[in-house]
Amino acid sequence: QVQLVESGGGLVQPGGSLRLSCAASGSIFGINAMGWYRQAPGNQRELVATIMSDYTPHYADSVKGRFTISRDNAKKTVYLQMNSLKPEDTAVYYCNANIRTWRGQIYDYWGQGTQVTVSS
């Protein structure tokens, strides 16, 4: 009943930029935190950035100063602007949202993932 749909991944050269989007839809009463995680081959999924409903952001040290997370509450969408990309940013990026449904239940939902590849 709740879906997160990501877009914006792709192949980019080192130093380039990409913007990821993730739109939530379905039986949504409210959205608390939204965020982005990533998983590279052979690695565990790791936090990239989160943003609270009051727009307070939090970043992993590895992306501070390069990535910017933002959200549009009216559109139920979270964005991740990625600048100065490095090969080590290569991973599948997953959107996450903590959502309260109209039934009053609160769950963490995940998107399907979008591939980001940074390579020359």
Side-chain angles (χ1 to χ4, degrees), residues 5-6 13 21 23 29 34 37 40 45-46 73 82 89 92 95 102-104 114:
V5 179
E6 300 145 342
Q13 292 186 341
S21 300
F29 177 79
M34 303 185 81
Y37 292 72
R45 190 173 297 187
E46 63 177 7
N73 287 337
M82 303 185 293
D89 294 317
V92 177
C95 172
W102 283 103
R103 293 186 175 183
T114 185

Side-chain angles (χ1 to χ4, degrees), residues 78-100:
V78 63
Y79 306 95
L80 185 69
Q81 178 66 44
M82 303 185 293
N83 298 330
S84 303
L85 282 160
K86 305 175 181 179
E88 51 263 44
D89 294 317
T90 296
V92 177
Y93 283 70
Y94 295 92
C95 172
N96 171 270
N98 184 259
I99 292 174
R100 179 186 293 273

Side-chain angles (χ1 to χ4, degrees), residues 58-89:
H58 170 78
Y59 298 96
D61 287 343
S62 59
V63 306
K64 280 181 181 177
R66 300 188 298 121
F67 291 9
T68 302
I69 190 169
S70 60
R71 63 189 283 172
D72 184 328
N73 287 337
K75 294 182 178 180
K76 299 183 179 67
T77 299
V78 63
Y79 306 95
L80 185 69
Q81 178 66 44
M82 303 185 293
N83 298 330
S84 303
L85 282 160
K86 305 175 181 179
E88 51 263 44
D89 294 317

Side-chain angles (χ1 to χ4, degrees), residues 10-18 85-91 115-120:
L11 173 65
V12 64
Q13 292 186 341
S17 298
L18 281 175
L85 282 160
K86 305 175 181 179
E88 51 263 44
D89 294 317
T90 296
Q115 178 70 46
V116 171
T117 302
V118 185
S119 175
S120 55

